[in-house]
Amino acid sequence: MQSLSHQPSAAKGAPPDLGAEVERLEVLLSERRAELSALQAELRDFKVRYAHTVGARLAELAEVEAEIRKAQAGALGLDEEGEDEGEEERAASFYETRPAPSGGAGLKRLFWSVARMFHPDHASDEQEARRRHSIMAEASRAYRDGDVDSLHSLLGDEHLQSFCASAGRDEEPEDLPTRLLNLKEELRTIEFGIKRARHDGLYQLMLKARSEAAEGRDALASMAESITRQIAKARRRLEHFS
């Protein structure tokens, strides 16, 4: 009787099964890594198609429109510096969705700021190096895609900074609570990368193109045809200033 009376209290006060939770998070983290990797690869492939089919025509249209503004300014005796800000914003929004240019000095400085803070070379042990590597993988993706917002977010994430500053201080073997915390932090980084990828403007366009392809239409080809007509119209306007 006495042994039975202890069973409810022991069960009631039993600690959570950390081992099972660690195992669950490890499986989830593996799934999320695979999801992010597949998503990034899919986006890269689509961006290549986009740049080949649409990007070059958009760049040509921007050049012709710049020539028109220059010709208009010359005809009116105005300084070219007074460009329409709306045109500048439209051009910027286009380039934000394209792969980062090799000469993007501002973007490169931002990336190196992240690298100085999170690079695995600054890790004090293998565990921290793995953590930093996952952050740098996201930073590299953001730099490649010209994703300034993600780089700023990484720089301003105090939780990530605190983790990297303290992860390697304890030389004791990683216990279950610590392992659980580290898994949660790494999962948070991976899910951040997935969220950012899905907020990419071209990701939404990719979904639209996929939906139209299922109905037998080519969204990128239609966009390219529309831009080609705009280029022809813009060139006719430019001829009036010749």
Side-chain angles (χ1 to χ4, degrees):
M1 294 291 294
Q2 188 174 9
S3 61
L4 290 175
S5 66
H6 288 302
Q7 288 180 358
S9 60
K12 183 178 179 180
D17 189 344
L18 294 183
E21 180 65 6
V22 164
E23 184 176 347
R24 185 188 72 82
L25 285 181
E26 286 175 339
V27 172
L28 181 59
L29 183 58
S30 178
E31 293 172 352
R32 290 292 186 271
R33 283 188 187 128
E35 181 181 354
L36 178 59
S37 178
L39 184 58
Q40 290 174 340
E42 194 176 20
L43 263 177
R44 283 195 297 271
D45 290 343
F46 182 77
K47 285 183 178 182
V48 170
R49 289 175 49 212
Y50 176 86
H52 177 74
T53 307
V54 179
R57 287 175 174 81
L58 278 173
E60 182 180 354
L61 178 60
E63 290 175 2
V64 177
E65 289 180 340
E67 290 179 22
I68 291 173
R69 291 195 299 274
K70 182 177 180 181
Q72 288 175 330
L76 296 174
L78 300 176
D79 192 337
E80 249 189 282
E81 292 181 358
E83 284 189 343
D84 178 56
E85 291 183 1
E87 292 293 335
E88 291 181 347
E89 290 177 0
R90 283 192 287 274
S93 66
F94 161 61
Y95 283 108
E96 284 172 1
T97 62
R98 299 178 69 190
S102 58
L107 183 65
K108 185 176 292 187
R109 284 194 296 270
L110 185 57
F111 173 78
W112 280 111
S113 294
V114 176
R116 282 193 295 270
M117 183 175 293
F118 294 113
H119 199 281
D121 286 351
H122 305 316
S124 58
D125 58 24
E126 185 61 28
Q127 173 194 330
E128 185 183 349
R130 288 195 301 269
R131 171 64 173 153
R132 288 175 176 270
H133 176 74
S134 67
I135 297 171
M136 286 307 302
E138 167 61 13
S140 296
R141 192 281 311 163
Y143 175 70
R144 182 179 61 248
D145 295 347
D147 188 349
V148 174
D149 288 343
S150 286
L151 291 174
H152 277 299
S153 295
L154 288 172
L155 276 177
D157 194 321
E158 295 180 357
H159 293 291
L160 292 181
Q161 295 170 22
S162 175
F163 179 88
C164 287
S166 62
R169 290 177 183 170
D170 189 359
E171 298 181 356
E172 294 295 323
E174 188 178 43
D175 56 21
L176 282 178
T178 303
R179 176 63 177 159
L180 185 62
L181 175 62
N182 293 342
L183 285 170
K184 287 180 178 179
E185 289 289 341
E186 187 169 359
L187 183 61
R188 181 171 178 268
T189 302
I190 297 297
E191 290 183 337
F192 173 83
I194 293 173
K195 180 180 178 181
R196 290 305 309 171
R198 288 177 173 164
H199 277 77
D200 190 303
L202 282 185
Y203 176 77
Q204 302 302 321
L205 180 58
M206 181 181 73
L207 295 182
K208 177 183 177 182
R210 183 182 298 164
S211 175
E212 294 195 10
E215 299 176 0
R217 298 193 300 272
D218 189 333
L220 292 185
S222 297
M223 288 179 65
E225 291 173 4
S226 175
I227 297 166
T228 298
R229 290 193 293 271
Q230 293 178 55
I231 292 171
K233 184 178 179 180
R235 289 198 179 281
R236 288 196 293 272
R237 289 176 57 202
L238 184 60
E239 289 175 358
H240 293 301
F241 295 96
S242 301

